[in-house]
Amino acid sequence: MRLILLGPPGAGKGTQASRLVEKHGIPQLSTGDMLRAAVKAGTPVGLKAKAVMEAGGLVSDEIVVGIIADRFDEPDAKKGFILDGFPRTVAQAEALDKMLAQKGLKLDGIIELKVDEAALLARIKNRADETIKAGGTVRADDNPDAFKVRLDAYRAQTAPVSAYYAGKGALKQVDGMLPIDAVTKAIDAALGG
Ligand code: AMP
């Protein structure tokens, strides 16, 4: 199964993706996680991405498309994947279409988590509090200033990705304001049970 999870920052994509990983036995491909790992490791990609990520902006299409292309070639991605945080621009969605077409592959589901924007900042604050409670390190971009930039980037560059897939008749929308378990059920239903 090959899936895409769309939705603004704080919509719950990561939470739902980990549940889909368990249910379907396919990996979660989060470009955000991959970029954070690259920043931590100080790789050339990480060095390029660090400042823009901390400010809440988008890393270049070229970098993220390259990361995803490499990740698709790893053995665990052969049986399917859940894309979380990619594609984030229409150019990335077009690059993804090309990559899949070259491999003779198709997407099985594109799910958008619809959330009330007013609730998102509170969710991000909650995520930061939970991380601190668990003894972890809060993401450098989980703060009100960077969050505003992330939301602006979402509106300007990522919302058109939903329209791109909706135009192809491929988009399924799920109410992301429901409790976590109910969102999981709604996603299962959207994928045909
Ligand atoms: P996320 O963990 O998905 O919220 O991503 C964290 C940050 O990584 C984003 O705010 C961007 O700076 C960067 N990022 C992750 N995925 C992408 C992508 N597909 N395109 C551009 N930038 C990305």
Side-chain angles (χ1 to χ4, degrees):
M1 176 159 320
R2 284 173 292 274
L3 305 175
I4 299 180
L5 280 182
L6 295 172
K13 298 187 295 293
T15 304
Q16 296 301 330
S18 23
R19 291 180 168 209
L20 288 162
V21 166
E22 271 183 36
K23 182 169 164 120
H24 298 284
I26 48 178
Q28 168 187 5
L29 309 189
S30 156
T31 40
D33 285 349
M34 294 176 213
L35 287 165
R36 278 185 287 278
V39 168
K40 204 169 170 197
T43 66
V45 161
L47 293 176
K48 275 193 207 156
K50 187 173 190 286
V52 69
M53 286 176 76
E54 281 178 5
L58 290 188
V59 175
S60 76
D61 289 335
E62 194 192 347
I63 288 182
V64 285
V65 168
I67 290 180
I68 281 289
D70 289 348
R71 188 64 185 81
F72 278 170
D73 287 337
E74 286 179 34
D76 65 334
K78 301 278 179 229
K79 55 187 171 177
F81 47 74
I82 302 144
L83 288 171
D84 161 14
F86 179 94
R88 244 181 172 95
T89 64
V90 170
Q92 291 177 20
E94 288 169 348
L96 174 63
D97 278 350
K98 254 194 216 156
M99 267 188 264
L100 293 174
Q102 274 165 8
K103 294 174 194 287
L105 300 175
K106 282 210 158 69
L107 293 166
D108 298 293
I110 299 145
I111 309 274
E112 180 183 24
L113 298 179
K114 296 288 285 177
V115 287
D116 174 1
E117 279 194 10
L120 293 175
L121 184 58
R123 283 192 179 194
I124 293 284
K125 279 189 184 143
N126 188 45
R127 175 157 87 189
D129 291 347
E130 296 288 319
T131 305
I132 291 167
K133 249 193 250 159
T137 310
V138 175
R139 279 173 50 165
D141 59 354
D142 270 354
N143 63 69
D145 284 346
F147 182 75
K148 193 185 169 307
V149 181
R150 287 162 68 197
L151 201 52
D152 286 347
Y154 174 79
R155 288 195 197 109
Q157 289 166 278
T158 310
V161 174
S162 299
Y164 174 83
Y165 289 119
K168 292 171 176 268
L171 186 72
K172 293 189 173 125
Q173 294 181 322
V174 162
D175 181 358
M177 296 305 290
L178 298 171
I180 293 176
D181 286 346
V183 176
T184 306
K185 275 200 188 133
I187 292 174
D188 285 348
L191 294 174

